[in-house]
Amino acid sequence: SLSAPLPGIPKPVFAAVDSHEQCETKITTLENGLKVASQNKFGQFCTVGILVNSGSRHETKYPSGIAHFLEKLAFSSTAQYGSKDEILLTLEKHGGICDCQTSRDTTMYAVSAEVKGLDTVVSLLSDAVLQPRLLDEEIEMTRMAVRFELEDLSMRPDPELLLTEMIHAAAYRGNTVGLPRFCPVESVEKIDKKLLHMYLQSYYCPERMVLAGVGIEHEQLVACARKYLLNVKPVWGASTPTNVDLSVAQYTGGIVRVSIFPFLDVLCIIYACFVLQEDDFIPFAVLNMMMGGGGSFSAGGPGKGMFTRLYLNVLNRHHWMYNATSYHHSYEDTGLLCIHASADPRQVREMVEILTREFIQMAGTAGEMELERAKTQLKSMLMMNLESRPVIFEDVGRQVLATGKRKLPHELCDLISNVTASDIKRVTTKMLCSKPAVAALGDLTEMPSYEHIQAALSSKDGHLPRMYRLFR
């Protein structure tokens, strides 16, 4: 029988790691203010990167688009490497790849490579972040790349990126996270080496940086940080963090409309709370999972997501709606909860009314079963995402950059488990007290006015005011 041990075979001894030690994130702050954070994870490869507290929300004093330019210029020629090809060849020796991503509040330079090449990786990261050459030909090539990306953004069939820009512009008109993440056309020619250096001098200082690593020993990463990041003078000179823009996000609400004539009409209705407190973030994430949604025609087999509210109340009841999905954007000082929907342009008014009714119904008491299902789904998604080393790296870096510490997965799961129906009602009521933000893209002939949408969201049942017309 396979359930009984074989005779004469010694009892196996398995390697054991203390569970707390295995998931603990270690953080060290160097003398210059730079934070070094690491998460040990067994394996041959590691992910290491530098995260900077800078993004499009910090461009108030500069032409918009600098963060977009820096993303395209990342890992170009530096003081140590003559070209991007040299950097890639150096990483290739360690089986490595590199990438730079900017968001509205963070710029992230990351490298995944063999653990043996850690010294080379940190040296390269230090050079790429603090010693870029920013040659004229590189800036000109970046201008061409940005122009192409802007053209592609307006022509691509999937409008999600464009809608994300529109909803932030509507919710935070002209400030912080409402500033454009992509470089506006009028700014492409204005951005030059001098302007880039002025921006880097203000924001690329050690106090606003985190060196994060996953898959490496903490002491080894700290030693490399001291070697390559402690007493390094940037190419733009001494940093002056006094010029940093510390503006807090000001939620305005409003509407952004772009009238084009595709086959579909795409709409986002967004709500925001003015300040996203720490005890609001988790209930908002659970509410987002409870709303759920997706496309009418999507992969995953029968029954996928059919228990979320947007499937039960919207997509299953209205066959003419192509998509209804809830999204949750969170930042250090604010947050957005939005529903993105699309339908035939002739039915846009009915679509808006369906969405306003869903927002009003959010303030009701959540059922015990749907709340538990949403919490379980959120915990499952969290744990599945944290199986990936690059995702752990980003989680470590972003949390340490924003708060100076990291909540471990089991702590987040405990917070999710503690969310109650009254928490959901509290954050929803708080959210519905603010003005709505609306973004609409497509044939907007039948689109109701912003005042009518606001009136529907202020009513008890979410119905739009009735309109009587003699002629259509």
Side-chain angles (χ1 to χ4, degrees):
S1 173
L2 293 177
S3 60
L6 295 173
I9 301 295
K11 187 177 180 179
V13 179
F14 297 100
V17 178
D18 179 66
S19 58
H20 179 69
E21 178 71 22
Q22 187 179 6
C23 66
E24 183 185 9
T25 301
K26 297 181 179 179
I27 303 169
T28 299
T29 303
L30 302 186
E31 289 82 351
N32 62 355
L34 176 83
K35 292 183 178 66
V36 182
S38 73
Q39 173 78 55
N40 200 358
K41 188 176 176 69
F42 298 110
Q44 187 180 351
F45 281 79
C46 64
T47 300
V48 182
I50 294 177
L51 292 91
V52 189
N53 187 8
S54 77
S56 60
R57 70 170 295 168
H58 300 106
E59 294 174 354
T60 309
K61 299 177 183 178
Y62 306 89
S64 292
I66 291 180
H68 191 192
F69 258 68
L70 290 173
E71 179 184 86
K72 300 297 179 191
L73 284 164
F75 296 104
S76 296
S77 63
T78 67
Q80 187 178 345
Y81 300 94
S83 67
K84 190 165 193 170
D85 289 339
E86 281 189 35
I87 290 176
L88 296 177
L89 285 170
T90 302
L91 287 175
E92 209 171 89
K93 295 174 185 175
H94 301 285
I97 56 172
C98 62
D99 187 29
C100 177
Q101 294 181 4
T102 59
S103 62
R104 297 183 186 277
D105 53 2
T106 309
T107 301
M108 180 172 63
Y109 299 78
V111 174
S112 288
E114 281 186 315
V115 178
K116 296 176 184 177
L118 180 64
D119 194 80
T120 303
V121 165
V122 177
S123 170
L124 189 152
L125 282 167
S126 172
D127 224 37
V129 175
L130 301 176
Q131 304 288 332
R133 287 184 179 177
L134 303 179
L135 302 175
D136 290 341
E137 54 265 32
E138 291 173 344
I139 293 175
E140 195 55 45
M141 287 293 290
T142 300
R143 286 199 181 99
M144 293 173 61
V146 168
R147 286 195 200 100
F148 174 80
E149 192 166 348
L150 293 175
E151 288 178 15
D152 177 65
L153 186 66
S154 60
M155 292 189 295
R156 61 172 58 193
D158 177 17
E160 187 176 336
L161 280 175
L162 188 57
L163 275 170
T164 302
E165 287 294 290
M166 291 168 62
I167 61 180
H168 281 83
Y172 305 92
R173 194 171 291 275
N175 74 89
T176 56
V177 293
L179 297 173
R181 190 173 77 83
F182 296 98
C183 180
V185 176
E186 60 271 16
S187 296
V188 173
E189 293 298 329
K190 295 179 182 177
I191 297 175
D192 55 15
K193 185 174 181 178
K194 181 180 178 181
L195 190 63
L196 290 169
H197 274 184
M198 285 172 60
Y199 180 85
L200 292 167
Q201 191 174 30
S202 297
Y203 291 99
Y204 278 47
C205 49
E207 301 92 334
R208 299 176 64 85
M209 292 183 184
V210 170
L211 175 67
V214 176
I216 37 134
E217 294 288 344
H218 185 70
E219 291 73 18
Q220 191 180 359
L221 185 62
V222 171
C224 289
R226 289 186 180 280
K227 184 177 179 182
Y228 297 110
L229 291 163
L230 188 55
N231 296 310
V232 179
K233 185 179 180 182
V235 69
W236 51 84
S239 295
T240 53
T242 51
N243 293 330
V244 169
D245 177 30
L246 300 175
S247 302
V248 176
Q250 301 295 318
Y251 178 76
T252 61
I255 185 168
V256 172
R257 300 162 58 109
V258 177
S259 295
I260 56 176
F261 297 93
F263 294 109
L264 302 182
D265 191 88
V266 184
L267 175 81
C268 275
I269 295 184
I270 313 115
Y271 257 119
C273 54
F274 292 105
V275 179
L276 192 64
Q277 303 290 351
E278 191 173 358
D279 54 352
D280 289 342
F281 171 71
I282 298 295
F284 261 114
V286 174
L287 175 62
N288 180 56
M289 295 303 298
M290 195 185 303
M291 298 307 295
S296 294
F297 308 98
S298 59
K304 177 182 73 68
M306 288 299 179
F307 289 104
T308 61
R309 286 191 183 182
L310 290 179
Y311 263 111
L312 290 173
N313 302 339
V314 178
L315 293 170
N316 286 0
R317 296 184 182 184
H318 306 283
H319 63 89
W320 45 267
M321 287 193 67
Y322 299 111
N323 179 52
T325 310
S326 176
Y327 290 100
H328 181 212
H329 300 279
S330 60
Y331 302 97
E332 187 178 351
D333 53 355
T334 188
L336 290 174
L337 182 77
C338 59
I339 295 178
H340 160 232
S342 59
D344 188 279
R346 291 168 295 183
Q347 292 170 301
V348 63
R349 184 178 179 84
E350 190 177 353
M351 177 177 70
V352 172
E353 189 167 79
I354 290 166
L355 296 186
T356 54
R357 287 205 306 264
E358 284 303 309
F359 273 109
I360 295 299
Q361 289 170 12
M362 281 185 199
T365 303
E368 184 180 350
M369 186 177 292
E370 71 168 346
L371 180 59
E372 287 303 316
R373 184 183 287 115
K375 292 195 289 186
T376 302
Q377 193 174 353
L378 181 59
K379 286 187 281 188
S380 173
M381 185 178 292
L382 171 70
M383 300 309 292
M384 283 192 293
N385 285 333
L386 290 175
E387 287 292 310
S388 168
R389 188 181 64 249
V391 174
I392 300 174
F393 156 76
E394 188 172 349
D395 182 52
V396 170
R398 284 183 179 275
Q399 285 202 50
V400 173
L401 190 65
T403 66
K405 57 185 179 181
R406 185 197 178 209
K407 276 191 169 66
L408 298 175
H410 70 269
E411 294 178 271
L412 292 172
C413 286
D414 290 342
L415 290 173
I416 294 169
S417 297
N418 293 333
V419 172
T420 63
S422 62
D423 291 325
I424 300 293
K425 190 168 186 175
R426 173 177 57 81
V427 297
T428 305
T429 304
K430 178 181 177 182
M431 177 179 69
L432 292 173
C433 288
S434 58
K435 289 172 59 179
V438 182
L441 172 68
D443 180 354
L444 305 177
T445 309
E446 297 295 320
M447 177 75 183
S449 67
Y450 178 75
E451 290 74 19
H452 281 192
I453 296 173
Q454 194 171 5
L457 289 165
S458 302
S459 66
K460 293 181 179 180
D461 54 10
H463 287 298
L464 288 165
R466 291 292 163 244
M467 293 180 62
Y468 300 97
R469 292 183 292 184
L470 293 175
F471 306 100
R472 290 189 64 83

